[in-house]
Amino acid sequence: MTRTLRVGIIGCGKIALNHAKALLANHNAELYACCDIDGARAAEFATRFGIPHAYDNSADLMRSGVDTVTVCTPHPSHEATVVAAARHGLDVLCEKPISISLAEADNMIDATESAGVTFGGLFQRRFWEASQRAHEAIRNGRIGTPVFASVALRLGRDAAYFTSDPWRGTWDADGGGVLINQAIHYIDLMQWCVGSPVVRVSGNIATLKHGDHIEVEDTAVATLEFANGALGVIQAGTTFAPGLGTQVLVTGNNGATVSITEFPEGEPAFNDIWTVAGEESYRPVHSTEIDSDPSLATIHEGLTPYHALQIDDFIDAVAHHREPLVTGREARKALEIVLAIYESARTGGPVDLGAARPAQLTHR
């Protein structure tokens, strides 16, 4: 690396704490600036982390001398922020979901590719050791060809969670509910591990518990068809009390199964089912001795090391002119699946991916 990269954080909310901690620990990055539409919050954030420059708008931050930015703002602002970063020649890492429509995502990808800057999407759960182990086993053919995959997300949320930020639980400001906020992480893991594109989606959504606080879905189910012939299932809800965690599972045509389970939420995942020949192991998941519903701050704190691993990967990718593990195009894949479930729920029929129509998929 020829020089230290100056990095700016756009948006100083809850998840920005993880970015700041990761960047401060990276010897090849200098946390140079931050901004937030609430200038006082940006100033407080800068003081807390020793950041030299704080602004109340991203335009000034992008002109401040930064080389790279990370985007931690609400979902609907992602497109404009990433496109602006590209116009300034800045490499950009964006929190999930990268956008709330495929047209926006494609515009972001086109803008960054045309500008020749690096664009990454934040999916830190790919950096769990359990995720890496499962992905490697599948890629090496140790379960044969994947034939079945599933995501089971059974989490708890309460009124305080939805009222903690004004954008939560709305279609226009949040882009959706349990699918686009929580399940998208595990949908990304599933499609990454299977390694074959999803070609058809059928799904349904409902608001069954939190209707007094949100207008988006708190419950969703879907079936998937992959290009290699594998079938998949998604079940997701924020209606559980206590929460029961999340599992991503893949079975191959030799009968072996690998799984990635996160319980409680925010703790490093583990492989609770592993039936690769000669390596068989099982691990119990649930216990009444475990706090199954940690606070959002505790969840974020538990994910901090994996934010750091992904941010380290991104900084290294920028420095060495290579693609990061999760590019913007990679981050688009999980978004397309989520938006296809919304479309299927609206129309009552299956949605074929990869055709002209999915390019128009949006959250509503």
Side-chain angles (χ1 to χ4, degrees):
M1 193 160 183
T2 57
R3 66 184 181 90
T4 300
L5 293 174
R6 289 179 169 181
V7 184
I9 297 177
I10 299 175
C12 298
K14 296 180 180 69
I15 204 62
L17 300 175
N18 287 27
H19 288 240
K21 293 172 185 176
L23 288 164
L24 288 172
N26 187 303
H27 298 301
N28 295 317
E30 176 189 357
L31 183 44
Y32 185 75
C34 66
C35 71
D36 194 279
I37 57 172
D38 181 340
R41 181 159 72 170
E44 180 182 354
F45 192 86
T47 298
R48 176 175 178 179
F49 291 104
I51 304 171
H53 306 283
Y55 304 96
D56 62 5
N57 65 89
S58 59
D60 285 344
L61 180 143
M62 291 182 191
R63 292 191 293 263
S64 69
V66 296
D67 306 297
T68 302
V69 295
T70 70
V71 180
C72 303
T73 57
H75 308 162
S77 65
H78 287 179
E79 178 197 17
T81 306
V82 170
V83 170
R87 289 173 181 160
H88 282 82
L90 303 176
D91 303 294
V92 55
L93 176 63
C94 183
E95 273 288 341
K96 64 79 192 169
I98 57 169
S99 67
I100 56 177
S101 80
L102 285 193
E104 290 177 358
D106 289 340
N107 190 33
M108 296 157 77
I109 292 166
D110 289 345
T112 51
E113 289 183 350
S114 295
V117 299
T118 304
F119 175 32
L122 207 301
F123 280 120
Q124 78 276 35
R125 285 168 170 88
R126 285 200 192 188
F127 290 80
W128 281 329
E129 183 180 349
S131 302
Q132 296 279 332
R133 183 186 183 211
H135 182 264
E136 181 183 15
I138 295 167
R139 284 294 178 273
N140 289 342
R142 285 154 58 200
I143 70 167
T145 300
V147 295
F148 175 78
S150 66
V151 170
L153 181 142
R154 305 179 181 106
L155 300 178
R157 292 293 186 268
D158 58 16
Y161 169 82
F162 293 112
T163 58
S164 64
D165 293 294
W167 52 268
R168 293 189 187 276
T170 63
W171 283 110
D172 288 339
D174 209 356
V178 63
L179 283 172
I180 207 163
N181 263 313
Q182 288 84 30
I184 194 169
H185 281 289
Y186 311 95
I187 293 170
D188 173 70
L189 280 183
M190 176 180 63
Q191 66 83 26
W192 180 55
C193 285
V194 171
S196 178
V198 173
V199 295
R200 175 170 284 199
V201 171
S202 297
N204 204 357
I205 63 173
T207 309
L208 301 179
K209 180 178 180 180
H210 301 300
D212 291 341
H213 317 297
I214 64 175
E215 63 185 30
V216 296
E217 86 287 354
D218 59 23
T219 305
V221 295
T223 59
L224 313 177
E225 300 175 29
F226 293 85
N228 72 344
L231 299 179
V233 177
I234 297 168
Q235 53 173 294
T238 50
T239 58
F240 293 79
L244 300 174
T246 305
Q247 181 193 63
V248 176
L249 180 148
V250 182
T251 300
N253 65 352
N254 69 7
T257 295
V258 298
S259 71
I260 306 160
T261 289
E262 178 186 3
F263 179 80
E265 191 178 2
E267 285 294 304
F270 49 89
N271 302 119
D272 59 315
I273 301 172
W274 192 272
T275 64
V276 175
E279 304 174 9
E280 294 87 350
S281 66
Y282 299 92
R283 174 173 166 177
V285 175
H286 300 107
S287 168
T288 56
E289 303 300 316
I290 296 173
D291 178 7
S292 57
D293 289 302
S295 67
L296 186 61
T298 300
I299 293 167
H300 285 173
E301 182 66 27
L303 291 169
T304 300
Y306 305 98
H307 267 90
L309 288 173
Q310 180 160 10
I311 288 172
D312 288 350
D313 172 76
F314 186 80
I315 295 296
D316 184 77
V318 170
H320 294 97
H321 307 290
R322 64 168 177 84
E323 287 192 340
L325 177 62
V326 188
T327 63
R329 287 191 177 275
E330 271 292 294
R332 182 189 187 277
K333 294 176 182 178
L335 176 67
E336 183 178 26
I337 295 168
V338 167
L339 296 179
I341 297 171
Y342 288 148
E343 175 75 2
S344 179
R346 281 192 295 269
T347 64
V351 174
D352 293 325
L353 305 188
R357 187 182 180 198
Q360 305 306 315
L361 290 180
T362 184
H363 62 300
R364 295 191 74 175

